[in-house]
Amino acid sequence: MSDDVLDAATDYETILVTRYGPALVVTVNRPRALNALAQQVVAELLDLTGRLVEALPSVDAPAAGEWVCRGVIVTGTGEKAFVAGADIREMSGMTPEQAEAYARDMHRVTLNLEALPVPVIAAVNGFALGGGCELAMACDFIYASENAAFGQPEVSLGLVPGFGGSVRLQQRVGVGIARELIMTGRRITAAEAHRIGLVNQVFADHAALLDAARDTVDTIAAQAPTAVANAKATMNAVAHRSVADGLDVEAAAFRAAFTTEDSRIGRDAFLSKESASFSGR
Ligand code: CO8
């Protein structure tokens, strides 16, 4: 782990950052407000994710930066809530301009999570409402505990999704279901979220959920770092293109993979029937 990132993390008051092997676990820690995303939480998430983007290698420059972690797990403190949304108490005193700035800061957090060259897993351990559901959807995929509940209840507050839900929910579950959920504000269980494809897997409780997320980071950490980064960046880039345009992006990514040391190591290891020891370059 980069000392810089962990050193900076000791100053945070609303998020906890812990290392477990190759995984960095980021825990939103405001249990008395069900981990709602107060402006301080957003500022700390922005600082952390910005530092990680800086510290890690990028797909364009795999030799720069260090593999300070091989995966990020985002969760909330306690069994009751992942994140119960934006902070409604704080929002009640905001001007429209302040509300937009708040939304734009959180947009930057979600874009940073998508820009990271490592997988980001949401481990949803209870309520993931409004901004909580939106934070989870900015992660690569979502695991949940049985007591998780998802929803975009903004219309019940006279608001609309503001942290990316209008865009990402449609991508995740399709246009019809997303529109129904956003227009009704209806809350759904982990089982329903699993059925509609919002959640990949459901686990008995928070401990089992975190174990599974860490196991998945271990599995991904055994793969070629540059290839995982390339695959993520490619899937982000093609998400909104036609098939033909997307195939062009994929072809360029496939070509780029052949410029990495990892791809040579991986192919040589396969052909010599040995396990690969990747360099991350
Ligand atoms: N913000 C601030 N405080 C909250 C929030 C929240 N989102 N959610 C819960 N809390 C607080 C409660 O006020 C309460 O505090 P206190 O004990 O001081 O009264 C404490 O957490 C415990 O909550 P409850 O007593 O309500 O617990 P219950 O078990 O009865 O209910 C619920 C749990 C169902 C999760 C309920 O708390 C709830 O409905 N919370 C609000 C959920 C919600 O509507 N979230 C969406 C918010 S809007 C949003 O996220 C928009 C994002 C885009 C913003 C764009 C920028 C402007």
Side-chain angles (χ1 to χ4, degrees), residues 32-34 36 80 84-89 91 99 102-103 127 129-131 134 153-154 157 162-163 187:
R32 276 182 297 174
L34 301 187
K80 187 167 177 180
D87 192 298
I88 300 171
R89 204 173 303 278
M91 281 196 298
Y102 180 36
F127 292 112
L129 302 176
E134 292 168 307
E154 287 87 350
L157 298 164
F163 291 165
R187 203 185 296 165

Side-chain angles (χ1 to χ4, degrees), residues 30-38 80-81 83-91 94-96 98-104 106-107 127-134 151-154 156-157 159-164 187:
R30 291 185 72 219
R32 276 182 297 174
L34 301 187
N35 303 324
L37 296 173
K80 187 167 177 180
V83 164
D87 192 298
I88 300 171
R89 204 173 303 278
E90 272 189 4
M91 281 196 298
M94 283 183 188
T95 64
Q98 288 168 330
E100 181 179 346
Y102 180 36
R104 286 191 185 277
M106 191 58 198
H107 289 168
F127 292 112
L129 302 176
C133 189
E134 292 168 307
Q152 296 288 158
E154 287 87 350
S156 73
L157 298 164
L159 299 174
V160 295
F163 291 165
R187 203 185 296 165

Side-chain angles (χ1 to χ4, degrees), residues 34-37 74 81-86 106 110 113-114 122 124 126-142 148-154 161-170 172-173 178 181-182 185-189 193 196 198-199:
L34 301 187
N35 303 324
L37 296 173
V74 181
F82 171 70
V83 164
M106 191 58 198
T110 63
L113 291 173
E114 290 180 347
V124 174
F127 292 112
L129 302 176
C133 189
E134 292 168 307
L135 173 63
M137 289 190 292
C139 301
D140 288 294
F141 49 90
I142 303 173
F150 295 81
Q152 296 288 158
E154 287 87 350
F163 291 165
S166 324
V167 182
R168 294 192 178 97
L169 190 58
Q170 299 198 91
R172 293 266 168 175
V173 302
L181 290 178
I182 287 177
R186 182 166 73 85
R187 203 185 296 165
I188 59 173
T189 62
I196 65 174
L198 183 60
V199 162

Side-chain angles (χ1 to χ4, degrees), residues 40 51 91 107 127 134 136 150 176 185 230 250 252 255 281:
Q40 186 178 357
R51 285 176 190 276
M91 281 196 298
H107 289 168
F127 292 112
E134 292 168 307
F150 295 81
N230 192 350
E250 189 184 75
R255 183 181 195 285
R281 302 292 181 215

Side-chain angles (χ1 to χ4, degrees), residues 182-270:
I182 287 177
M183 291 182 194
T184 60
R186 182 166 73 85
R187 203 185 296 165
I188 59 173
T189 62
E192 184 172 356
H194 186 221
R195 187 173 57 71
I196 65 174
L198 183 60
V199 162
N200 285 19
Q201 294 188 62
V202 180
F203 301 91
D205 54 31
H206 200 181
L209 171 65
L210 289 176
D211 280 349
R214 290 196 294 253
D215 284 350
T216 298
V217 172
D218 285 343
T219 300
I220 293 172
Q223 316 308 317
T226 54
V228 172
N230 192 350
K232 173 171 172 172
T234 303
M235 286 187 278
N236 283 342
V238 301
H240 315 295
R241 294 176 190 247
S242 67
V243 171
D245 283 355
L247 294 180
D248 278 345
V249 174
E250 189 184 75
F254 198 66
R255 183 181 195 285
F258 275 72
T259 67
T260 64
E261 201 170 81
D262 278 346
S263 75
R264 169 57 57 202
I265 293 168
R267 282 173 287 155
D268 287 352
F270 178 82

